[in-house]
Amino acid sequence: MCSKAGEKPTCMGAASVLYLVKIFKDYASKDQDKDHLSKAELKDLLKNEFSGLVDDSKPEDINKIMAALDHDMDGQVDIQEYMVTLCGLGIAIFEAGKGQCAKKK
Amino acid sequence: MCSKAGEKPTCMGAASVLYLVKIFKDYASKDQDKDHLSKAELKDLLKNEFSGLVDDSKPEDINKIMAALDHDMDGQVDIQEYMVTLCGLGIAIFEAGKGQCAKKK
């Protein structure tokens, strides 16, 4: 679905990808290193953008999530690690949805 | 950013991932095989959801895009292939954005 407002159509699929990149940039830019999310920046991002989808309510959750994202274990999250995790999240959501459909049959 | 309307907050980051999964399901469900995008379904999806971000104006473009997505070369696109491609698209957008910032300095 694309909205024709303005000179260039904005399609929701494209807008969704662009938004996911934008929030990485916004939160990663809070400190000097604009290309990586620190643990604190990741915590803010999850709370403000993924609450309800990712549970980080308990203090130790952020360490588990950080460990899951930080594949090269450098204590921060780069764009590749971030996007690969969102990719896994999307696949998990799709597979979970298929499971529910199978139960309904 | 989360909107508080309704019982559960909807955060834009989560909503973006959910939307990308939803459109895969919607377009993949147009034929009997609800778990895969055929070439025709992929063409519709690109035109309606990613125009402006993915150029498939020329007839041969869809074959190139299909070849790029269809990693196991079974003539269709599954959720893994779809999400991995969106992941690569997001990384490319981020890197391109960094290149433009470097030019401005």
Side-chain angles (χ1 to χ4, degrees):
Chain A
M1 178 179 57
C2 304
S3 69
K4 296 284 181 214
E7 174 233 294
K8 242 179 114 192
T10 337
C11 302
M12 285 275 293
S16 299
V17 175
L18 292 170
Y19 185 78
L20 292 169
V21 174
K22 178 185 172 312
I23 56 177
F24 177 88
K25 271 195 251 185
D26 292 349
Y27 285 85
S29 303
K30 295 191 178 203
D31 61 9
Q32 290 303 320
D33 182 348
K34 299 193 183 319
D35 292 344
H36 295 86
L37 289 168
S38 64
K39 193 191 286 188
E41 290 167 337
L42 174 64
K43 193 166 175 58
D44 269 358
L45 173 71
L46 294 176
K47 196 180 91 211
N48 297 328
E49 294 292 343
F50 290 95
S51 112
L53 202 57
V54 175
D55 179 14
D56 70 332
S57 45
K58 293 192 277 328
E60 68 274 16
D61 285 336
I62 187 68
N63 294 328
K64 276 188 218 154
I65 294 167
M66 189 67 173
L69 268 80
D70 183 18
H71 302 150
D72 59 14
M73 297 193 286
D74 62 356
Q76 49 190 9
V77 176
D78 62 29
I79 184 72
Q80 282 81 2
E81 293 165 334
Y82 168 76
M83 290 305 297
V84 162
T85 303
L86 292 183
C87 166
L89 189 59
I91 293 166
I93 291 165
F94 178 79
E95 298 297 346
K98 263 170 60 180
Q100 276 154 8
C101 291
K103 271 189 220 140
K104 279 184 201 150
K105 278 183 190 151
Chain B
M1 176 179 59
C2 304
S3 70
K4 296 283 179 212
E7 177 234 284
K8 237 175 118 193
T10 339
C11 302
M12 286 275 293
S16 299
V17 174
L18 293 169
Y19 185 78
L20 291 170
V21 174
K22 178 185 171 316
I23 54 177
F24 176 88
K25 271 195 252 186
D26 291 349
Y27 283 86
S29 303
K30 295 191 178 205
D31 61 9
Q32 291 303 319
D33 182 348
K34 301 193 183 317
D35 294 342
H36 296 86
L37 289 168
S38 64
K39 192 191 289 188
E41 290 168 337
L42 175 65
K43 192 168 175 57
D44 268 0
L45 173 72
L46 294 176
K47 197 182 92 211
N48 298 328
E49 294 293 343
F50 290 95
S51 113
L53 203 57
V54 176
D55 179 12
D56 70 333
S57 44
K58 293 192 277 329
E60 66 276 18
D61 285 336
I62 188 66
N63 296 328
K64 277 188 217 155
I65 295 166
M66 188 68 174
L69 269 81
D70 183 16
H71 303 152
D72 60 12
M73 296 195 286
D74 62 355
Q76 48 190 9
V77 176
D78 61 31
I79 184 73
Q80 281 81 3
E81 293 165 333
Y82 168 75
M83 289 305 295
V84 162
T85 303
L86 292 183
C87 167
L89 188 59
I91 293 166
I93 291 165
F94 178 79
E95 298 299 346
K98 262 171 59 179
Q100 274 155 8
C101 290
K103 269 188 223 145
K104 278 184 201 153
K105 280 183 186 148

